[in-house]
Amino acid sequence: MKKHFVLGVLSFFFLSAVRAQNTPPPYRTNVPIDSIRLSDPFILTDKKTATYYMTGTGGMLWKSKDLKTWSGPSSIAQTDPKSWMGPKPMIWAAEIHEYKGKYYYFATFTNKQLKAEGDLERRACHVLVSDKPEGPYVPMKQPTYLPANKLTLDATLWTDTDGKPYMVYCHEWLQNGDGTVEKIELLPDFSGTKGEPKLMFLASDSPWSKEKDKNDKDIPNKVTDGPWLFKTQTGKLGILWTSWIYDVYTQGMAYSKSGTLDGPWIQEKVPFTPPNHGHGMMFRSLDGKLLLVMHSHKSVNGKFIRIPKIFGIDDSGDKIVLGEQLF
């Protein structure tokens, strides 16, 4: 029953995202952040332009000078219509990373017309590139970053202690039955991957995420979502990631015992954020404050929406501490 519920929730958001992406909204200015409807928010602080750039599911871009009011959205991703993605791929959980003078757009692309396995639509993590944070972002040489028959999502970037850049992503729980967080090495220019993926941890490793089995007994939830890596000021490597506690979207974290992506990853016993908050990432403001942006769920006139929220973060110790909501 739990699986059917989660599938229903995911289908709702998927169909809502389809409608949103097929009908781009008008460009607006001076929009308060709590009036923006956005799942999986990601904020890049660009000191060169003294501007904050926010993207997420839908793949569009918002811009701000103060984090309070925003202008957008604008389309920035230019995919190849002749590629496996097709002419109008769905875009989930987009991120923008600056690396060695260029800007890279990590996102999950879905082609509803292609099947990867059974009735599951082909969905995969991919990277686009631009010379500017506002794009346009265009494809690089490698057509796929991960195996075509492997459903992956929510890719992010991390440079490990070996100095090599890695894509960290989730392998879809709908396909493997127990969602994973994995890593794979990127080529130096991010134009593709090399080597084989390596498992970091399983959804079922978490002590806090739960669902009910067919006998109404508590078992570990199988969803992994939205990984985000960070280091505290003391050098401790951690990861934020999101799952469910029954029907409540919830974010937790784990810390690496070795200080590298190889772990082992020790899961925290309790969630990190309030209920109905998740898919968070951290960034520094233009004045150097560490902040966390994530989305929360809210019902408005019978419609279930997602809204970005920004919190303060204290990373002075071995573990980060959630502060108050700022915006």
Side-chain angles (χ1 to χ4, degrees):
M1 185 174 178
K2 170 62 181 176
K3 184 172 182 179
H4 290 306
F5 175 84
V6 174
L7 283 171
V9 172
L10 294 177
S11 297
F12 171 84
F13 286 123
F14 183 84
L15 292 173
S16 299
V18 168
R19 288 193 290 270
Q21 293 189 38
N22 289 341
T23 308
Y27 192 90
R28 297 176 290 159
T29 59
N30 297 317
V31 182
I33 192 168
D34 61 4
S35 295
I36 296 173
R37 306 295 178 254
L38 181 65
S39 299
D40 315 326
F42 180 97
I43 295 176
L44 170 74
T45 304
D46 191 66
K47 293 184 177 180
K48 297 175 186 175
T49 58
T51 302
Y52 299 103
Y53 296 92
M54 180 167 66
T55 186
T57 287
M60 308 291 276
L61 187 72
W62 293 83
K63 297 191 291 185
S64 175
K65 292 293 185 180
D66 60 7
L67 294 174
K68 299 177 183 178
T69 59
W70 296 78
S71 298
S74 56
S75 179
I76 57 172
Q78 296 182 358
T79 55
D80 180 0
K82 296 180 180 178
S83 72
W84 69 266
M85 297 180 193
K88 292 182 179 180
M90 288 288 300
I91 302 176
W92 290 358
E95 298 187 359
I96 297 172
H97 295 270
E98 182 182 9
Y99 188 86
K100 295 185 177 181
K102 287 188 176 292
Y103 295 85
Y104 295 92
Y105 184 94
F106 285 60
T108 306
F109 297 89
T110 299
N111 184 342
K112 290 175 63 65
Q113 307 306 314
L114 289 182
K115 304 297 182 184
E117 181 179 302
D119 291 329
L120 297 174
E121 296 154 351
R122 182 164 176 191
R123 178 163 59 252
C125 302
H126 203 81
V127 184
L128 308 177
V129 65
S130 177
D131 291 324
K132 300 180 295 182
E134 64 266 31
Y137 289 87
V138 298
M140 289 181 278
K141 63 185 179 182
Q142 190 160 305
T144 60
Y145 282 71
L146 293 157
N149 62 350
K150 186 174 186 177
L151 301 183
T152 56
L153 68 156
D154 295 355
T156 190
L157 171 66
W158 185 254
T159 301
D160 212 358
T161 54
D162 59 7
K164 298 176 182 178
Y166 290 86
M167 175 188 284
V168 176
Y169 62 91
C170 300
H171 182 192
E172 179 63 82
W173 69 280
L174 292 172
Q175 185 178 52
N176 63 18
D178 192 356
T180 70
V181 174
E182 303 178 6
K183 69 165 186 172
I184 190 168
E185 186 180 345
L186 287 161
L187 295 174
D189 63 355
F190 294 7
S191 62
T193 57
K194 60 186 297 187
E196 296 297 322
K198 182 173 181 180
L199 175 69
M200 292 167 58
F201 59 85
L202 298 162
S204 58
D205 291 340
S206 164
W208 55 263
S209 62
K210 300 180 179 71
E211 62 179 80
K212 295 286 189 181
D213 67 10
K214 62 182 180 180
N215 297 315
D216 204 38
K217 181 181 178 181
D218 282 355
I219 59 173
N221 198 280
K222 302 301 190 295
V223 176
T224 49
D225 192 45
W228 175 259
L229 291 133
F230 62 90
K231 272 194 175 180
T232 66
Q233 292 184 36
T234 62
K236 195 81 172 287
L237 177 63
I239 187 168
L240 289 166
W241 67 283
T242 303
S243 190
W244 295 76
I245 300 178
Y246 308 124
D247 60 347
V248 179
Y249 195 63
T250 307
Q251 184 165 249
M253 68 170 59
Y255 289 92
S256 171
K257 192 171 182 179
S258 68
T260 73
L261 291 180
D262 290 328
W265 289 91
I266 310 302
Q267 301 290 334
E268 293 289 275
K269 294 181 180 180
V270 296
F272 179 67
T273 52
N276 280 325
H277 289 70
H279 204 112
M281 60 80 60
M282 292 187 289
F283 66 100
R284 290 206 176 267
S285 63
L286 288 167
D287 59 359
K289 295 183 176 67
L290 186 62
L291 305 174
L292 167 72
V293 62
M294 55 187 167
H295 70 245
S296 68
H297 296 167
K298 184 178 180 181
S299 180
V300 177
N301 298 324
K303 294 183 178 180
F304 208 46
I305 61 174
R306 290 178 169 183
I307 303 168
K309 291 186 178 181
I310 298 176
F311 290 76
I313 290 286
D314 179 1
D315 69 338
S316 59
D318 281 343
K319 295 183 179 182
I320 60 172
V321 178
L322 184 66
E324 65 180 9
Q325 182 181 336
L326 303 176
F327 307 109

